[in-house]
Amino acid sequence: MKKIIFCLFLLAFAFQSSNAQEFSIDDNVISAGIGLGGNYGSFSTSSQTPGLSLQYERGVWGIVGRDVISLGGYLGYKSYTYDAGIADDKWTYTIVGIRGAYHFNGINVQNLDIYGGAMLSYNILSFEGSGNYGSDLAATGFIGGRWYFSNSFATMAEIGYGVANITVGVSLKL
């Protein structure tokens, strides 16, 4: 974990060149995150992976003043094992979704991108063990923000429901 944090700081300094601009039409952003919490893996005796996510979004519509609506995709992964004593049950979730977000550019902080939105996803479940569980559709909401260290590199944080309740990570504006 210390190595990951150290690498993130190195990337932040490497990409630091000038102040970033607010989210705009035709912007393309890729984000990678690691998540905590959520409905996947709630047993106290389970071993689990953290929620991992990869997101893409593109600014497509300008709204009232400078605000922008973006559309994009989401891919998340989480697995956990519940030790039942006799046999282990293992759940592996892959979440594939379509997201839309409203980027509020009305705050006069140049390096900050604040957004909120909704996602329609298909939660693909691979289950090994006793019981009957299946994949399902889901509609969820989220709010988040990015702090840009340069025109292209940012840290990000989201609260909502995807593969986790809280996600932190990095973003790259292409």
Side-chain angles (χ1 to χ4, degrees):
M1 186 64 167
K2 290 179 184 178
K3 289 180 183 179
I4 292 172
I5 292 170
F6 179 72
C7 289
L8 292 177
F9 280 115
L10 283 179
L11 281 172
F13 287 116
F15 284 104
Q16 191 164 0
S17 61
S18 63
N19 289 335
Q21 301 171 0
E22 56 196 19
F23 195 86
S24 303
I25 296 174
D26 294 332
D27 279 355
N28 294 288
V29 177
I30 295 176
S31 300
I34 187 166
L36 304 169
N39 288 340
Y40 305 122
S42 58
F43 297 112
S44 61
T45 59
S46 66
S47 63
Q48 56 187 302
T49 65
L52 303 174
S53 64
L54 185 61
Q55 307 165 23
Y56 166 78
E57 67 180 306
R58 178 177 175 83
V60 292
W61 293 296
I63 303 293
V64 184
R66 303 180 322 214
D67 296 347
V68 174
I69 291 180
S70 66
L71 294 176
Y74 179 93
L75 179 63
Y77 173 85
K78 170 94 178 183
S79 73
Y80 69 96
T81 303
Y82 175 69
D83 182 4
I86 298 170
D88 292 344
D89 291 339
K90 182 177 181 181
W91 290 261
T92 302
Y93 288 91
T94 303
I95 299 173
V96 179
I98 299 171
R99 293 170 35 124
Y102 184 95
H103 295 262
F104 181 69
N105 291 327
I107 295 177
N108 197 16
V109 178
Q110 190 173 4
N111 297 339
L112 186 62
D113 174 20
I114 295 176
Y115 56 90
M119 176 172 71
L120 178 62
S121 65
Y122 188 64
N123 304 341
I124 304 165
L125 171 61
S126 172
F127 177 72
E128 299 170 15
S130 59
N132 188 12
Y133 300 94
S135 303
D136 62 348
L137 286 172
T140 60
F142 58 90
I143 58 171
R146 295 186 188 99
W147 182 263
Y148 281 90
F149 292 96
S150 71
N151 284 333
S152 60
F153 179 77
T155 57
M156 58 84 72
E158 284 187 4
I159 298 172
Y161 187 76
V163 75
N165 289 341
I166 299 170
T167 301
V168 296
V170 295
S171 296
L172 192 60
K173 189 184 285 189
L174 307 173

